[in-house]
Amino acid sequence: MKGAYDVTAISKVPSSKVWELLLDARSWPRWGTVDELVLERSENISPDRRDTVGAVRAFRTGRVVTSERITELRPQQLFAYEDAGNPFMRNYSARILLDDRSGGGTEIRWCGEYEVAFGTHFILRPQLTRTMRRMVTGLAEAAERSL
């Protein structure tokens, strides 16, 4: 069964600050809902904290490790990734869109699509939307703290 989420947050800082956090996989546990970046299951993680297309980032949340592959980057505009290993979803892809606001700050839109088993959908859909709302809010707040 197909599912999707689409969540948005506003940060008071320019998109360049948000972008820095997205490229740095090591920062995600500080502001997101993941517990840890699992380096031994990741690939092509940049030592300068600026991951590029093709990098695979493995994150542990609780006892579950999932991984994602960066598929597209448009600096300060688009960060896209897809599933590279997830025991609960198939065909998962997500896009994080950054839009500079005319009055200052950045709108962050995080949206994704996925497939799950029929019975899992009714549990996973609301839980994933809540989780991704916490991710986008955490990203916006962390970018503000980085000033």
Side-chain angles (χ1 to χ4, degrees):
M1 181 163 222
K2 292 185 181 226
Y5 62 86
D6 193 338
V7 294
T8 304
I10 304 295
S11 183
K12 298 174 186 170
V13 300
S15 59
S16 59
K17 292 293 181 189
V18 178
W19 187 251
E20 287 174 19
L21 293 172
L22 288 172
L23 291 182
D24 180 6
R26 290 168 182 86
S27 78
W28 287 47
R30 288 194 313 264
W31 53 263
T33 60
V34 297
D35 296 326
E36 166 189 31
L37 173 66
V38 182
L39 286 172
E40 60 272 10
R41 293 191 46 190
S42 298
E43 300 172 17
N44 302 316
I45 298 294
S46 174
D48 69 356
R49 299 179 182 258
R50 297 187 156 282
D51 293 339
T52 58
V53 170
V56 175
R57 301 151 148 216
F59 294 105
R60 181 185 60 75
T61 304
R63 296 187 325 194
V64 177
V65 176
T66 59
S67 57
E68 60 189 36
R69 178 179 297 102
I70 299 173
T71 58
E72 185 178 359
L73 298 172
R74 274 189 263 138
Q76 299 176 37
Q77 294 178 353
L78 171 69
F79 182 102
Y81 62 92
E82 66 185 10
D83 170 39
N86 187 316
F88 303 108
M89 291 188 274
R90 296 178 310 279
N91 299 320
Y92 174 53
S93 63
R95 300 167 61 84
I96 305 166
L97 301 152
L98 306 179
D99 187 25
D100 288 317
R101 296 168 50 98
S102 59
T106 305
E107 179 180 278
I108 307 164
R109 180 178 177 209
W110 200 321
C111 50
E113 298 178 342
Y114 55 90
E115 293 177 22
V116 294
F118 180 76
T120 308
H121 178 71
F122 299 104
I123 297 167
L124 185 64
R125 183 175 166 219
Q127 179 182 352
L128 187 57
T129 299
R130 280 191 305 274
T131 297
M132 299 316 293
R133 188 169 290 120
R134 287 178 31 220
M135 289 288 287
V136 75
T137 301
L139 174 60
E141 292 170 354
E144 291 173 9
R145 289 191 303 268
S146 72
L147 285 180

